[in-house]
């Protein structure tokens, strides 16, 4: 092969290696592009509002949103470095941290917001009635799975007496209507949709299972926190502004959600109005997370307790 061609190939290879090394160590995708993962849930309303109302652009940022089926899948993407920041349930986040995944919680997102809903013809009226039944959850590593186990424990029902099955959120209401499952525990708006359509009946809300429990939070990879502090501040500023907008304008916030998540904007406006969306990391939020973490340890869902320093970023 011609020496000149070999030299060109060598230069290209060196350039590619250099670029790869830069992205591997920069903790971001460069050019002010921040990769944010989320779930098909109204718990992430602030994210959708910030995107729709161009609040990220106002901060000088470009964001790329990627949807995941559940918090476990999202955390896997963060582990591999495909996502910089995620809107995920506190349960998969703490589970990942306990397994050594280098991520930190950088803000709260909302509290409560899930429900157990039963097939209208199942004969299920209480959590105790779930014994011997099939219940759909979004996945083993989700906060909804943890809430279900907590509810069963409170009702004196062994988890071994209930058949757990994993489904995508969007499939649950159809499965419930068809009688393929007896009940489901899922985030909003799917619980309210099933009840409004007459396909299901509300058994218990997550706020009744664990009053005031933390649910979704904003989590970031540690290398992104370290290498991109200004971008992180801008993301959190947009999140704070979007959260305030959501709490003050539930109907307009509902209109910002994707149609594949929210087919009924009027219903969604009422759901948002009844949901508490939050931002920041105040002492009350941290205490609630620590109490929730201790409950997960007690239920055997977390192998050992975590410290506040392990969970929260020092911003």
């Amino acid at each position: 092969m011609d020496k000149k061609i070999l030299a060109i190939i060598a230069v290209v290879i060196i350039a590619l290696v250099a670029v790869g090394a830069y992205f591997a160590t920069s903790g971001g995708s460069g050019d002010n592009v921040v990769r944010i993962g989320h779930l098909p849930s109204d718990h992430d309303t602030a994210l959708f509002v910030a995107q729709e109302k161009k609040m990220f652009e106002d901060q000088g940022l470009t964001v790329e949103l990627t949807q995941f089926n559940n918090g476990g899948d999202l955390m896997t993407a963060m582990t591999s470095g495909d996502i910089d920041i995620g809107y995920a349930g506190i349960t998969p986040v703490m589970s990942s941290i306990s397994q050594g995944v280098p991520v930190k919680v950088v803000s709260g997102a909302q509290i409560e917001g899930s429900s157990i809903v039963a097939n209208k013809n199942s004969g299920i009226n209480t959590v105790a009635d779930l014994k011997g039944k099939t219940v759909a959850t979004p996945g083993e590593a989700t906060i909804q799975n943890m809430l279900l186990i907590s509810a069963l424990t409170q009702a004196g029902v062994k988890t071994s007496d209930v058949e757990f099955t994993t489904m995508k959120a969007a499939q649950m209401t159809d499965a419930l209507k068809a009688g393929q499952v007896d009940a489901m525990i899922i985030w909003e708006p799917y619980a309210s949709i099933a009840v409004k359509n007459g396909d299901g009946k509300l058994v218990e809300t997550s706020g009744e299972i664990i009053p005031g429990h933390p649910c979704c939070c904003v989590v970031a990879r540690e290398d992104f926190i370290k290498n991109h502090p200004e971008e992180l501040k801008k993301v959190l500023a947009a999140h704070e502004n979007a959260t305030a907008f959501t709490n003050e304008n539930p109907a307009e916030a509902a209109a910002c959600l994707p149609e594949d998540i929210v087919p009924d904007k009027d219903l969604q406006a009422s759901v948002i109005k009844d949901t508490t969306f939050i931002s920041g990391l105040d002492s009350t939020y941290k205490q609630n997370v620590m109490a929730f973490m201790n409950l997960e340890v007690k239920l055997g869902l977390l192998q050992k307790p975590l410290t506040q320093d392990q969970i929260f970023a020092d911003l």
Side-chain angles (χ1 to χ4, degrees):
M1 186 178 292
D2 187 271
K3 290 183 178 180
K4 187 175 181 179
I5 295 177
L6 287 173
I8 293 174
I9 292 173
V11 170
V12 171
I13 292 173
I14 291 171
L16 289 173
V17 170
V19 170
Y22 168 76
F23 286 122
T25 58
S26 65
S29 47
D31 299 325
N32 283 333
V33 177
V34 180
R35 303 164 299 178
I36 302 179
H38 67 91
L39 306 180
S41 168
D42 69 2
H43 293 187
D44 302 343
T45 295
L47 173 63
F48 300 124
V49 167
Q51 181 79 328
E52 184 69 19
K53 297 297 181 181
K54 301 187 183 305
M55 294 179 180
F56 292 120
E57 290 183 23
D58 292 343
Q59 296 290 332
L61 292 174
T62 299
V63 301
E64 295 176 352
L65 304 188
T66 302
Q67 181 173 296
F68 295 87
N69 291 328
N70 56 55
D73 290 348
L74 196 161
M75 294 310 301
T76 298
M78 293 196 75
T79 303
S80 64
D82 293 333
I83 297 296
D84 302 315
I85 291 174
Y87 279 65
I90 192 66
T91 291
V93 170
M94 291 194 296
S95 177
S96 296
I97 292 173
S98 71
Q99 295 171 32
V101 177
V103 296
K104 299 276 189 181
V105 175
V106 294
S107 176
Q110 51 74 239
I111 60 174
E112 301 182 359
S114 299
S115 294
I116 300 173
V117 178
N119 176 285
K120 63 180 181 180
N121 299 316
S122 65
I124 298 171
N125 296 301
T126 68
V127 173
D129 295 332
L130 295 175
K131 183 176 181 179
K133 304 294 186 179
T134 299
V135 184
T137 81
E140 185 176 347
T142 63
I143 191 169
Q144 287 71 33
N145 193 70
M146 180 273 183
L147 288 165
L148 177 59
I149 292 173
S150 180
L152 293 171
T153 300
Q154 292 175 39
V157 179
K158 296 179 180 178
T159 55
S160 58
D161 289 334
V162 176
E163 183 178 348
F164 290 61
T165 185
T166 299
M167 289 186 176
K168 293 181 179 179
Q171 297 173 337
M172 284 194 196
T173 51
D174 290 337
L176 191 76
K177 180 179 180 179
Q180 295 171 350
V181 297
D182 300 302
M184 65 179 184
I185 181 165
I186 191 57
W187 54 68
E188 292 290 4
Y190 297 102
S192 292
I193 289 173
V195 172
K196 182 179 180 180
N197 290 345
D199 301 324
K201 55 184 176 180
L202 179 65
V203 176
E204 198 160 273
T205 67
S206 65
E208 293 171 318
I209 299 170
I210 306 175
H213 72 82
C215 190
C216 281
C217 61
V218 185
V219 60
R221 293 202 331 271
E222 287 188 13
D223 60 344
F224 185 84
I225 296 171
K226 177 182 178 181
N227 297 323
H228 296 273
E230 293 305 314
E231 285 85 349
L232 178 60
K233 287 181 181 178
K234 292 176 180 179
V235 169
L236 294 179
H239 173 70
E240 182 178 1
N241 293 336
T243 298
F245 181 93
T246 298
N247 288 327
E248 294 167 7
N249 307 278
E252 195 169 348
C256 295
L257 274 70
E259 288 188 5
D260 65 327
I261 296 176
V262 179
D264 188 332
K265 301 295 183 182
D266 292 335
L267 173 63
Q268 186 56 48
S270 66
V271 172
I272 290 178
K273 187 177 180 180
D274 293 335
T275 303
T276 302
F277 293 89
I278 59 175
S279 63
L281 293 175
D282 62 23
S283 59
T284 299
Y285 177 74
K286 289 183 177 180
Q287 290 170 5
N288 288 339
V289 169
M290 297 308 290
F292 197 75
M293 180 270 297
N294 287 329
L295 178 57
E296 290 201 350
V297 173
K298 183 178 179 180
L299 293 173
L301 300 174
L302 200 61
Q303 290 187 348
K304 59 182 180 179
L306 300 170
T307 66
Q308 284 198 24
D309 289 342
Q310 287 176 299
I311 298 172
F312 302 107
D314 184 14
L315 302 175

